[in-house]
Amino acid sequence: MYRLVFTQVLSRLDAETVHHVTIRLLRLLGMFPPLVRLLHRLLAPRAESLRVQAFGVHFASPFGLAAGFDKDAGCAEPLTALGFGYVEVGTITAHAQPGNPRPRLFRLPESRAIINRMGFNNAGAAAAAKRLRRVRHIPAVVGVNIGKTKIVPESEAARDYVDSARRLAPLADYLVVNVSSPNTPGLRDLQAVDRLRPLLSAVKEAAGRTPLLVKIAPDLADEDVDAVAELATDLGLAGVIATNTTISREGVASTEAGGLSGQPLKARSLEVLRRLRQKAGDRLTLVSVGGVEDVDDVWERLLAGATLVQGYTGLIYEGPLWPSRINRQLARRLRRHGYRSVGEIVGRTA
């Protein structure tokens, strides 16, 4: 049914308008806790085999929602109720900012992909903190993804990230430093290890006991991926999220500027995951994202060494029952292969 609605209605409307309407509907749903609890009972992962523990946090399922959907931390509970094992909100910046001019979000249905050049549009860390302080009516694991405010010069980037970390880390189950979006000028330059080390060190100190991860781009050279793995291990980070969107246009017809997500990113995201696992082993928790569409993709990422897996573009093309369906299929596959838990298959083909 959803695919018919998407093809006949949603695909004919402006992508960002549809997204904003969806967020408003989810927030409206969140205002009715009994409905949220009902959805959670119907759709949330229940199988014991899906439970995962990573960096001291317990997850109902390894499959979660990537950052970029809930930019202002306004609907983590309703999204959890749909079946995600965890929800990563953001990217949130220390100061509110409008993002880049519209249009800035484009669907590529023939490639099962999306291009965005949103530019970290959000209401800022203070507003997000206020929402994150709300009482949760269902168990929800919420990660917070932070980025650099556009108007802040690169020389002051560390201070800007630290401002966000101080406000948000105490309210997050884990914190992510995003230095890999292609839509903020100069941001990806911060992935160079000599610049990344002081930034991550400062944020780690500000984050305190909250687990800290770094999110990297798929466009990094292999040797730079290795360097980030070494740095993350050396600094004692909780893990690495691989990968963000790509600036490559291989396999798609569009030349729109921005970050490409979805199916065309699948192969490179998996390559980066395997390289990180080879370099870091199990010393880092690896979170794989990019081109994850179905249970086969989740299974492959787990085997390759990911403890957690994220999706986003698949939600756009598959609809609200997508996470619940993947969880059911993953639990069945574990049972069919004789595994008692997800942890038993993590890294088996690494």
Side-chain angles (χ1 to χ4, degrees):
M1 175 63 75
Y2 176 82
R3 291 184 182 181
L4 180 64
V5 171
F6 179 85
T7 302
Q8 299 301 319
V9 181
L10 299 182
S11 64
R12 303 174 190 273
L13 302 175
D14 173 71
E16 187 171 351
T17 298
V18 172
H19 180 82
H20 287 317
V21 170
T22 302
I23 292 294
R24 290 191 188 101
L25 290 173
L26 286 167
R27 287 185 177 179
L28 180 62
L29 173 62
M31 296 171 64
F32 299 93
L35 286 179
V36 173
R37 287 193 287 266
L38 176 60
L39 270 181
H40 189 256
R41 283 198 295 270
L42 293 173
L43 300 177
R46 299 293 182 201
E48 287 290 330
S49 61
L50 295 180
R51 297 188 181 277
V52 176
Q53 183 173 345
F55 40 79
V57 178
H58 295 274
F59 297 81
S61 160
F63 185 58
L65 180 64
F69 188 89
D70 185 7
K71 293 179 179 294
D72 281 310
C75 44
E77 272 194 304
L79 288 165
T80 299
L82 293 181
F84 287 108
Y86 58 103
V87 173
E88 189 172 309
V89 300
T91 296
I92 297 165
T93 54
H95 305 283
Q97 56 183 29
N100 295 322
R102 297 179 69 165
R104 52 190 181 180
L105 185 63
F106 310 89
R107 307 185 199 91
L108 306 177
E110 66 284 356
S111 301
R112 302 281 293 181
I114 289 174
I115 291 175
N116 94 82
R117 51 173 180 261
M118 305 296 286
F120 293 169
N121 55 307
N122 74 108
K130 185 177 180 180
R131 295 187 181 101
L132 290 168
R133 288 192 189 97
R134 294 173 183 167
V135 175
R136 296 180 187 176
H137 299 93
I138 58 173
V141 173
V142 181
V144 177
N145 185 300
I146 59 174
K148 186 181 82 67
T149 307
K150 185 176 181 179
I151 62 171
V152 170
E154 292 176 43
S155 61
E156 299 177 20
R159 180 177 58 79
D160 189 61
Y161 278 95
V162 165
D163 287 346
S164 293
R166 285 177 176 155
R167 287 182 181 272
L168 299 170
L171 305 169
D173 291 295
Y174 68 90
L175 191 70
V176 182
V177 170
N178 184 353
V179 288
S180 49
S181 170
N183 300 316
T184 297
L187 185 70
R188 287 191 168 191
D189 295 340
L190 298 176
Q191 292 177 111
V193 169
D194 60 334
R195 304 182 68 180
L196 190 57
R197 179 181 291 275
L199 189 155
L200 290 177
S201 296
V203 176
K204 187 172 187 294
E205 182 178 357
R209 295 183 178 181
T210 303
L212 181 66
L213 296 87
V214 62
K215 187 169 186 176
I216 63 173
D219 308 306
L220 284 178
D222 287 345
E223 57 269 24
D224 293 326
V225 172
D226 295 345
V228 170
E230 290 179 359
L231 175 62
T233 303
D234 185 43
L235 293 178
L237 298 193
V240 177
I241 300 182
T243 61
N244 212 318
T245 56
T246 180
I247 57 175
S248 168
R249 291 297 178 266
E250 184 176 351
V252 300
S254 178
T255 58
E256 288 285 354
L260 175 72
S261 64
Q263 195 276 336
L265 185 54
K266 184 179 299 187
R268 179 55 183 166
S269 180
L270 185 57
E271 284 177 5
V272 173
L273 168 64
R274 286 175 171 155
R275 192 164 190 97
L276 286 168
R277 178 70 181 199
Q278 182 180 25
K279 192 70 179 176
D282 59 2
R283 292 174 296 170
L284 293 170
T285 295
L286 302 180
V287 184
S288 186
V289 55
V292 175
E293 296 187 282
D294 53 33
V295 71
D296 292 334
D297 294 324
V298 175
W299 186 262
E300 186 174 35
R301 306 299 172 95
L302 294 169
L303 290 174
T307 301
L308 301 170
V309 181
Q310 295 179 342
Y312 175 175
T313 304
L315 180 63
I316 308 304
Y317 289 110
E318 294 296 324
L321 297 181
W322 179 60
S324 179
R325 183 166 63 245
I326 284 183
N327 283 322
R328 290 197 309 272
Q329 292 170 343
L330 182 58
R332 283 199 297 266
R333 185 169 296 191
L334 287 167
R335 193 164 54 246
R336 187 168 69 245
H337 287 277
Y339 295 114
R340 291 175 296 175
S341 72
V342 166
E344 293 181 31
I345 71 169
V346 172
R348 289 185 69 90
T349 65

